[in-house]
Amino acid sequence: MTRQPEASFHMTPEEFRRRGHEAVDWVASYMERLEDFPVRSQVEPGQVRAGLPEHPPRQGEPFDAVMADLERVLLPGITHWQHPSFFAYFNANASGPSILGELLSAGLGVQGMLWSTSPACTELETLVMDWLLELLDLPRAFHSSGAGGGVIQDTASSATLCALLTAREQASGWTAHREGTPRELTVYCSTQTHSSVEKAVRVAGMGTDRLRLVGTDADLAMDPQALRTAIQDDLAAGLRPCCVIATVGTTSTTAVDPLRGIGEICQEHGVWLHVDGAHGGTAALLPELRWIHDGLDLADSYCFNPHKWMFVNFDCDAFWVRDRAALVRTLSVLPEYLRNEATTSGQVIDYRDWHVPLGRRFRALKLWMVLRHYGAEGLRHHIREHLRLAAWLEAQVVAHPDFLLAAPRTMNLLCFRHRRGDAVNQAIMDLLNASGAMFLTHTKVQDRLVLRLCIGGTHTQQRHVEQAWALIQQAALELPDAG
Ligand SMILES: *Cc1c(COP(=O)(O)O)cnc(C)c1O
C-alpha cells in the first residue's frame, strides 16, 4: 500500500513531546539506578551485535520496541562511566544541566560554521570561552577583546593538531600549506606526553623522526635543561625547532611540566609553546591550585577538556590562542559559496576557520548551562571535594604497610602499588574490575606496574572511595600468592 502524498513518516511534535518525556525519565532513572550495574561491561566480544537483527528494518518500528532493546541488549554492553565507582582513566563526567544543554542543542539543530549561519552559536561560544578564562584565571592574552581568543573543539587531540599546524606554518614562513612541510622542522614534548602529540605530528606530515621525547625529573615533569639541550643539538645539526608541547597533568600520573622554565626557552628560540591541560586544567578553578599554570603567560596556545572533570559531557575541549590571526591564516580557505557580508565586513568570528571540520555543533550551549547552573561556587565545591577524597585515600595508602605511592599526587589522581610486584598489582586490578564493584586502570612508572585511581565522578562520594579502598585491601589479602 502506498501512502498519500501528504502522509509523513516523521514524529509529530505531539509524539515527540510524549516520547521526549519518556526519554528524559529514562535518563533520570538511569542516574538513580547507576549503582545497580557492574561498572565495567561484562559482555564478550560480538555479544551486543548478536542480540540485534542483522538487517535494517523495512518498516518503522514503535519507540517502545527501540527502548526495550536499549535496556535488553545495549545496557549490558555499556561501561558505566557515570557510575560513582568509576575510577579508571580520567573521568568523562556528565551532569544534569549539561545533558539538557545537549538536548536543546540537538533541538535547535544548528550548524554554526559561520557567524551568519547562527550568530548566537558563535557569540555565546566567544562569551563562555572568555568566562572560562576568568574562572580559571588564565592569561588575559587569550581573551577575545585582544588579539587572542578561544574556540570549542571536539577534543584535546584536535586542539593540539591545530596548534601544531599553526606552529608549522609560522616556522616555515607561511609556506607549509602551499609547499608541504619542510623536513627540518622539529617538535618537542616529554616522555610522558599524551599520544595525541605523536598523532598530530603524523597528521601534520612532520615525520615522527622529528619528534623529540625530552626527559623528565624524578616527579615525571619535563626537565627544562634537557629541553634546552635537545633544541641546541637540533640547531647545531641544521634543523629548525618549531613547537614544544608541555602538559599540565600528564595522563599517566598528572605530573605538571614547569611552564615558566619551558616558556623562557621557547621565547629565546622563537618556538611555539602549546600547553595541554586536558584533564588537569579544571583544577585551576581553585585558587590554591593555580600554581599549575605558572608560566602559562608565555604560551602561544592552551587547551583543556571541560568534558573530563568539569561536568560537561563529552565532547567539549576549550582551546585558546594568543594570536587568532595566525590560527585563521593557517586554516582559512574561503570558497565562493560561503562568502557573505558579515564575513567580508571583518566584524565577526567565523569559527570554521579555527579548526579542521567545516561544520560545528552548538556545544557552547551545554557549557553555558553548566556554568550558569553551578556558578563558580558550585564548580569549586565539587572539585574541592574530589581533591579532599583523593587526599584521604592518599593518607590511607601512605599509612598502609603493604602499599606505597608510586608518584606524587598533584590533583585527583592517585598512583600507588602493592609492594609485592607487578603480578600482584595486575591481579588486584583484574579481580576488582571483573567483580563489577569498581573500575580502575593502570600505568607504568619506572617500569613498574602501578594502579591508577582517579576521583572525579559527578556522583562519587566519600562512601564510594572508602568502599574502593576496602575492596583493594581485601583483594590483596585474597590473592593466593599475596596473602
Ligand atoms: C585525555 C588526554 C588527552 C586526549 O583527550 P581527547 O580530548 O580525547 O583528545 C590529551 N592530553 C592529555 C594530557 C590527556 O589526559
Side-chain angles (χ1 to χ4, degrees), residues 89-91 153-160 192-197 245-252 254-255 276-280 303-305 307-308 314-317 452:
Y89 310 108
F90 285 136
N91 294 89
Q153 302 250 347
D154 53 3
T155 59
S157 303
S158 296
T160 297
Q192 302 296 307
T193 301
H194 189 265
S195 54
S196 54
V197 170
I245 292 105
T247 308
V248 170
T250 58
T251 314
S252 183
T254 58
D276 174 4
H279 168 78
C303 73
F304 90 103
N305 288 347
H307 75 222
K308 275 183 168 165
F314 193 88
D315 52 355
C316 181
D317 169 87
R452 247 177 117 272

